[in-house]
Amino acid sequence: MSEAMILLLAQLALKYGPVVGQAWHAIFTTANPTPAQWDAVWTKDSYDAYVPPANAGAGS
Amino acid sequence: MKRNRIALVLALALVVGCPGVPPQTVAYRAIGSVAVTVDNAMKGWADYVHTMGRCAPIAPTPNCVTVAAENSVRSAFNAYKKGENAAHKAIDAYRAATTAPTGTPGVPNTSAMESAIAAVSAAASDLVGAISQQKGGKP
């Protein structure tokens, strides 16, 4: 784990502490992950799913 | 600060790699911690883009997010996602092999799974580095 990643983790912990904390706690206390837990562990499919394009929702 | 970082790394290493924990659980914890980190880093980046705004072609505002900055993060995310998809396949193959009925062919490939997770961790680190760089160290 790089220094940049550790620094970002610290920043995230400060900003989103409870949310990240709960997610980490859920992951680290899971002994035998269920199929549903495996399905939920991945990130979103694309960059645009996190950062919608400027013209998103501009109407059709 | 440095002591905190060392403690965090040690804590992660202990939690992820406790002796006696099945490889599948270790994989879940490793990929889960990476995914939570990346997910929140991307949410933080989305907040940043939303707050600072994208640079307009004419008269861009100060500190706006350039197309080049977004492309840098997008490229790092795509590289991460490629690694995550590879890890997903390796983990699925491992799980399928471990849950297969006795007598069916298929050997759980722990090393392939571990290599894929190591690769996705490196890609996540690059992504986080790219986000930090584009934000100029701003949280």
Side-chain angles (χ1 to χ4, degrees):
Chain A
M1 184 176 286
S2 73
E3 190 164 299
M5 192 150 175
I6 294 166
L7 276 174
L8 188 92
L9 279 175
Q11 288 177 350
L12 290 172
L14 287 173
K15 190 169 182 182
Y16 302 103
V19 178
V20 176
Q22 282 170 14
W24 277 51
H25 182 262
I27 285 164
F28 286 130
T29 52
T30 299
N32 291 303
T34 63
Q37 286 173 313
W38 273 114
D39 287 344
V41 82
W42 312 102
T43 56
K44 293 180 184 177
D45 282 339
S46 68
Y47 177 90
D48 290 346
Y50 285 101
V51 191
N55 59 355
S60 51
Chain B
M1 180 70 180
K2 194 169 183 180
R3 192 188 276 177
N4 288 347
R5 287 182 209 161
I6 293 167
L8 179 63
V9 171
L10 284 176
L12 278 176
L14 286 172
V15 173
V16 172
C18 278
V21 178
Q24 205 178 128
T25 301
V26 173
Y28 177 79
R29 290 175 182 175
I31 202 78
S33 62
V34 169
V36 165
T37 304
V38 166
D39 192 55
N40 283 284
M42 287 302 293
K43 285 175 182 168
W45 172 246
D47 282 352
Y48 182 79
V49 172
H50 181 73
T51 305
M52 305 309 258
R54 291 178 164 110
C55 294
I58 302 165
T61 54
N63 298 322
C64 61
V65 179
T66 63
V67 172
E70 270 212 88
N71 284 344
S72 168
V73 175
R74 184 191 299 273
S75 166
F77 179 81
N78 289 343
Y80 165 80
K81 198 64 199 175
K82 196 174 168 186
E84 193 189 76
N85 288 339
H88 199 159
K89 279 183 188 167
I91 290 170
D92 279 353
Y94 181 89
R95 290 173 61 211
T98 51
T99 55
T102 311
T104 43
V107 178
N109 192 342
T110 311
S111 64
M113 186 171 69
E114 287 171 352
S115 302
I117 291 171
V120 79
S121 298
S125 190
D126 290 345
L127 170 61
V128 166
I131 290 174
S132 295
Q133 191 182 359
Q134 297 307 331
K135 286 167 80 173
K138 292 186 271 296

